Amino acid sequence: MNRVGKSVAKVVDINVERKGRILREHLSRSPFINNQVPTFSIVEFNVTELCNRKCVFCPRSDPKKYPNRRKFLEPSLYEKIMKELSEFDYSGKILYSAFGEPLLHKELERLIALSKQYCPKSHVEIVTNGDFVTVKRLHTLFDAGLDTIVISMYDGPHQIEHFTKIREAAGLRDDQLILRVRYLPPKQHYGIILSNRAGMIDLSEIGVKPLAEPLKKKCYYPFYQLMVDYDGTVLLCPHDWTKCFKAGDLKRQKLLEIWTGKALTCARKRLSNSDRNFEPCKVCDAKGTLMGGKHFEQWQRYYRENDDAQ
């Protein structure tokens, strides 16, 4: 039963297990950065503030809350970040997803190429709504170095056949072009593990609404993932559509300075104690523990050892 007393079918997202496996594999290869601090296994980029859709479960459904803006991640800033990742031979996932539609970035292939130039062992992945996916575009993306493209299908089961034909015509495997069902009825949460997007979404009829009080639950996001906005701001996590928690600015700071800095350290320690009573976590209902448990344990050991040494 959900919060409003209506039965909601449990959503099983195959992407959770896939991402969890990627996290565990990367952690087993590279548990520490420069043999010092626990690693992150995903660097997620919000490459543009544009999207061509307004899904009901997204803050973009209300342009007053989240308007389209012609803002893009600059290749020069992206190259600076890739250079810093190359300093410790980063081999985790580089993800283009977040708050916009990545394929609206006209220089996306250039960003992918920079990823592979500086971090050839990294796994570069795009999450897209598929509206701009063509055989020709797939060729340019994969020629640039893309490893995986995940298409979220919002319109109906007819899209399976459509994108399967495109995948075959492009000569891609099913692990290179992955299809995700996102068109299920509301009572099945559209096929998504929904969150209230840090309090910005109210779908009370299916149990997704702003919280009356903070959850008393751990959250692993800032233990395994670095979230980078289009302007170089490092955010707490991809659920924070309010962008109220700014951990640092990659235009002026080094990546590792932010990853080990006071803001993320404070957030991790509070979340370790199931304390979400700070922005944006106080209004967020994301489960937060579906993956990243091993990273969480790594940070716990790191903090214990370093606190004891002081």
Side-chain angles (χ1 to χ4, degrees), residues 47 52 65 75 98 105 129 132 143 185 192 211 227 229 248 263 274 276 279 284 304 307:
V47 297
N52 62 302
K65 285 186 177 180
H105 195 301
N129 59 36
F132 304 100
D143 287 347
I192 302 170
L211 298 176
M227 177 68 214
D229 206 1
S274 300
R276 294 194 182 191
E279 297 287 355
C284 179
R304 282 198 302 269
D307 289 346

Side-chain angles (χ1 to χ4, degrees), residues 19-300:
K19 285 179 67 176
R21 184 173 63 255
I22 291 172
L23 291 179
R24 293 189 296 272
E25 290 174 354
H26 177 250
L27 186 65
S28 68
R29 296 193 307 270
S30 305
F32 294 97
I33 298 172
N34 293 339
N35 294 318
Q36 295 177 336
V37 298
T39 190
F40 44 83
S41 291
I42 300 177
V43 185
E44 181 170 354
F45 289 93
N46 181 41
V47 297
T48 179
E49 281 289 88
L50 290 178
C51 189
N52 62 302
R53 290 198 174 220
K54 296 179 181 178
C55 300
V56 65
F57 45 78
C58 175
R60 290 184 179 276
S61 60
D62 183 352
K64 292 181 181 178
K65 285 186 177 180
Y66 205 101
N68 264 332
R69 296 186 297 158
R70 297 191 64 80
K71 301 290 186 179
F72 303 94
L73 176 60
E74 293 291 338
S76 57
L77 174 58
Y78 188 79
E79 185 169 14
K80 182 255 188 190
I81 299 169
M82 290 302 109
K83 286 181 178 178
E84 292 185 18
L85 289 173
S86 73
E87 292 173 3
F88 50 90
D89 195 24
Y90 180 69
S91 62
K93 177 186 285 191
I94 295 173
L95 175 63
Y96 309 138
S97 181
F99 314 124
E101 169 49 51
L103 294 187
L104 289 173
H105 195 301
K106 295 184 184 296
E107 295 187 274
L108 194 60
E109 284 84 352
R110 183 177 175 188
L111 302 186
I112 295 169
L114 286 169
S115 302
K116 290 301 186 177
Q117 176 184 342
Y118 290 101
C119 303
K121 298 176 185 177
S122 65
H123 183 99
V124 183
E125 179 170 313
I126 294 171
V127 175
T128 174
N129 59 36
D131 291 347
F132 304 100
V133 170
T134 63
V135 173
K136 181 179 179 180
R137 189 73 195 275
L138 288 173
H139 284 162
T140 63
L141 291 167
F142 280 88
D143 287 347
L146 184 66
D147 293 291
T148 303
I149 185 166
V150 179
I151 300 178
S152 298
M153 301 179 294
Y154 298 115
D155 298 338
H158 64 279
Q159 290 185 289
I160 297 176
E161 181 180 1
H162 171 70
F163 287 119
T164 297
K165 288 181 178 179
I166 288 178
R167 179 169 59 199
E168 292 172 352
L172 298 175
R173 304 184 306 271
D174 57 7
D175 63 325
Q176 292 176 298
L177 191 155
I178 297 171
L179 302 180
R180 298 197 304 186
V181 170
R182 295 291 185 264
Y183 51 72
L184 297 182
K187 67 179 181 179
Q188 292 179 273
H189 283 192
Y190 311 98
I192 302 170
I193 299 176
L194 286 178
S195 83
N196 64 15
R197 313 295 175 105
M200 291 187 72
I201 287 295
D202 187 348
L203 295 173
S204 297
E205 65 276 11
I206 58 172
V208 181
K209 58 184 180 179
L211 298 176
E213 59 183 28
L215 297 178
K216 295 179 180 179
K217 293 183 177 180
K218 294 179 173 63
C219 182
Y220 298 160
Y221 273 101
F223 294 84
Y224 69 82
Q225 180 164 344
L226 193 73
M227 177 68 214
V228 183
D229 206 1
Y230 73 93
D231 60 357
T233 301
V234 174
L235 305 173
L236 182 62
C237 81
H239 286 274
D240 181 19
W241 285 67
T242 67
K243 303 184 181 183
C244 65
F245 187 106
K246 295 177 170 59
D249 182 355
L250 284 167
K251 286 182 178 177
R252 294 187 287 272
Q253 295 172 275
K254 296 278 285 185
L255 186 148
L256 287 184
E257 175 189 350
I258 298 171
W259 181 242
T260 60
K262 290 183 178 180
L264 287 178
T265 295
C266 180
R268 290 190 195 106
K269 290 188 174 183
R270 294 188 70 167
L271 292 172
S272 296
N273 293 316
S274 300
D275 175 9
R276 294 194 182 191
N277 195 19
F278 63 99
E279 297 287 355
C281 304
K282 65 191 302 182
V283 293
C284 179
D285 68 349
K287 185 173 179 64
T289 54
L290 292 174
M291 63 189 82
K294 295 297 183 182
H295 291 73
F296 174 79
E297 293 171 6
Q298 193 86 320
W299 273 107
Q300 293 298 91

